[in-house]
Amino acid sequence: MENGEIPENAPEHCPGPQSETAGKSDSCQGCPNQEICATAPKGPDPDLVAIVERMATVKHKILVLSGKGGVGKSTFSAQLAFALAAMDFQVGLLDIDICGPSIPKMLGLEGREIRRSNCGWIPAYVESNLGVISIGFLISNPDEAAIWRGPRKTGLIKQFLRDVDWGELDFLVVDAPPGTSDEQITIVQSLEATGIDGAVIVTTPQQVSLIDVRKEVSFCKKVGVEVLGVVENMSGLSQPLSEFKFTRMTETGEQKDMTEWAMSYMRENAPEMLNLIACTEVFDASGGGAAKMCNDMGVPFLGKVPLDPQLCKAAEDGRSCFSDDKCRRASAPALKMIIEKILAQKNISTENGA
């Protein structure tokens, strides 16, 4: 346990050897290190000093959180980073989703490895002003599961914050795993002394997602992180009518493809319909969705992003949706307005820099 590091055999939710509750908290019961931690001299975590020094060159830090998985949090993180970089900001994207690191794929960086220099780990770069760090770069086999207990995850997050040579950054976007567990607590405690601009929380419209988002909002309030706002992702399917596939159910229950007939009919009889965007609700939003929840909890509602197949394809291909003409019809404008609201909250000009 040199330098206050959490030992590998520590239990989950270990408070750390330097904590005032070390050896005394409920999570310490049964730990082989309990007596050592309880009697060891306490002091400031040496990692935090190094993290403060490293983060001194980062102007703004934004956490992207979600109450549950599968709501598009990493997609939003990736597109937020793409958008900020396109505004000529210097951007870093830190993926601390230890067990499900999807950021390398969404940034088109699969197969990359982290290099080291005398100054620390060097991020993988999408562009000269967009660097990325993820555990995905440390796993040689993409199918390999990261079966890590709390202390090891905590140690890696601190190492990312302490040892990565980001250089001068306008923004550090942190893509956190869903929930309110070790990773979220560690990132907040580690960055607390350096200043966190706030958190963006991503959800979908249905109540099963919003229940967990309420917990995420409560978590932010308890740990003193400003909620910059909530994004309602997958807020209805939005797609140009010309990109739909049309089918007809036969008497035997099979689906017959009628796409060519439908397109031909519209071209001949109603060509103006081909320029329309068809929209429909996918998830039940009868409870008022994220907008009502934000009003109830007194946090900003940033806006809705439709479920756009073109945005999904851009994420799969590791591309920015803002440079895709097809995305510009639905998802890109919605994301652009949300990002502008975030910058306006912090009085950051897109023209004069951060």
Side-chain angles (χ1 to χ4, degrees), residues 187-246:
I187 196 71
V188 170
Q189 289 179 340
S190 299
L191 291 178
E192 189 175 16
T194 73
I196 302 173
D197 285 71
V200 176
I201 303 175
V202 182
T203 184
T204 49
Q206 75 271 41
Q207 287 298 314
V208 69
S209 179
L210 294 173
I211 289 170
D212 291 329
V213 170
R214 290 175 181 272
K215 298 173 185 175
E216 203 75 34
V217 172
S218 297
F219 167 80
C220 289
K221 290 181 177 180
K222 285 181 179 179
V223 298
V225 173
E226 178 185 355
V227 177
L228 298 175
V230 176
V231 174
E232 185 177 282
N233 198 26
M234 306 182 197
S235 184
L237 174 66
S238 183
Q239 185 176 2
L241 194 62
S242 59
E243 296 178 7
F244 269 82
K245 179 180 178 180
F246 296 86

Side-chain angles (χ1 to χ4, degrees), residues 81-294:
F82 274 129
L84 294 173
M87 297 174 188
D88 293 327
F89 291 118
Q90 294 292 326
V91 183
L93 176 54
L94 175 58
D95 178 12
I96 63 167
D97 194 343
I98 307 297
C99 298
S102 53
I103 287 297
K105 181 172 182 60
M106 292 184 175
L107 274 292
L109 297 173
E110 283 185 298
R112 293 283 193 93
E113 295 181 355
I114 297 177
R115 295 182 292 114
R116 297 175 183 268
S117 72
N118 293 334
C119 297
W121 286 349
I122 301 174
Y125 282 89
V126 183
E127 302 287 347
S128 60
N129 66 332
L130 176 51
V132 182
I133 284 289
S134 169
I135 190 181
F137 299 141
L138 303 177
I139 301 175
S140 56
N141 181 359
D143 296 329
E144 181 182 343
I147 307 174
W148 291 8
R149 300 187 72 175
R152 192 175 180 191
K153 291 189 286 186
T154 297
L156 180 63
I157 292 170
K158 286 185 176 181
Q159 191 172 9
F160 278 162
L161 294 172
R162 183 190 66 218
D163 295 344
V164 175
D165 181 20
W166 294 104
E168 298 280 343
L169 285 184
D170 293 313
F171 289 94
L172 178 65
V173 178
V174 181
D175 181 43
T180 56
S181 192
D182 289 343
E183 293 93 326
Q184 290 82 359
I185 295 170
T186 299
I187 196 71
V188 170
Q189 289 179 340
S190 299
L191 291 178
E192 189 175 16
T194 73
I196 302 173
D197 285 71
V200 176
I201 303 175
V202 182
T203 184
T204 49
Q206 75 271 41
Q207 287 298 314
V208 69
S209 179
L210 294 173
I211 289 170
D212 291 329
V213 170
R214 290 175 181 272
K215 298 173 185 175
E216 203 75 34
V217 172
S218 297
F219 167 80
C220 289
K221 290 181 177 180
K222 285 181 179 179
V223 298
V225 173
E226 178 185 355
V227 177
L228 298 175
V230 176
V231 174
E232 185 177 282
N233 198 26
M234 306 182 197
S235 184
L237 174 66
S238 183
Q239 185 176 2
L241 194 62
S242 59
E243 296 178 7
F244 269 82
K245 179 180 178 180
F246 296 86
T247 63
R248 175 182 292 160
M249 191 72 71
T250 66
E251 294 180 358
T252 60
E254 298 178 354
Q255 287 189 340
K256 182 179 180 181
D257 190 343
M258 301 296 295
T259 305
E260 188 173 341
W261 172 84
M263 291 299 173
S264 177
Y265 185 89
M266 283 189 283
R267 280 193 294 267
E268 293 178 9
N269 298 282
E272 62 276 9
M273 289 184 65
L274 296 174
N275 295 322
L276 296 179
I277 294 178
C279 304
T280 184
E281 295 297 330
V282 178
F283 299 113
D284 178 23
S286 59
K292 182 179 184 302
M293 185 215 69
C294 288

Side-chain angles (χ1 to χ4, degrees), residues 32-53:
N33 310 295
Q34 184 176 9
E35 185 176 351
I36 298 174
C37 290
T39 57
K42 305 299 185 290
D45 185 346
D47 283 335
L48 295 184
V49 176
I51 289 170
V52 169
E53 291 178 357

Side-chain angles (χ1 to χ4, degrees), residues 18-41:
Q18 296 295 326
S19 171
E20 292 298 328
T21 62
K24 305 172 186 177
S25 70
D26 292 341
S27 61
C28 298
Q29 301 304 314
C31 175
N33 310 295
Q34 184 176 9
E35 185 176 351
I36 298 174
C37 290
T39 57

Side-chain angles (χ1 to χ4, degrees), residues 68-79:
K68 65 188 296 294
V71 300
K73 169 187 56 64
S74 293
T75 298
F76 180 82
S77 298
Q79 296 304 323

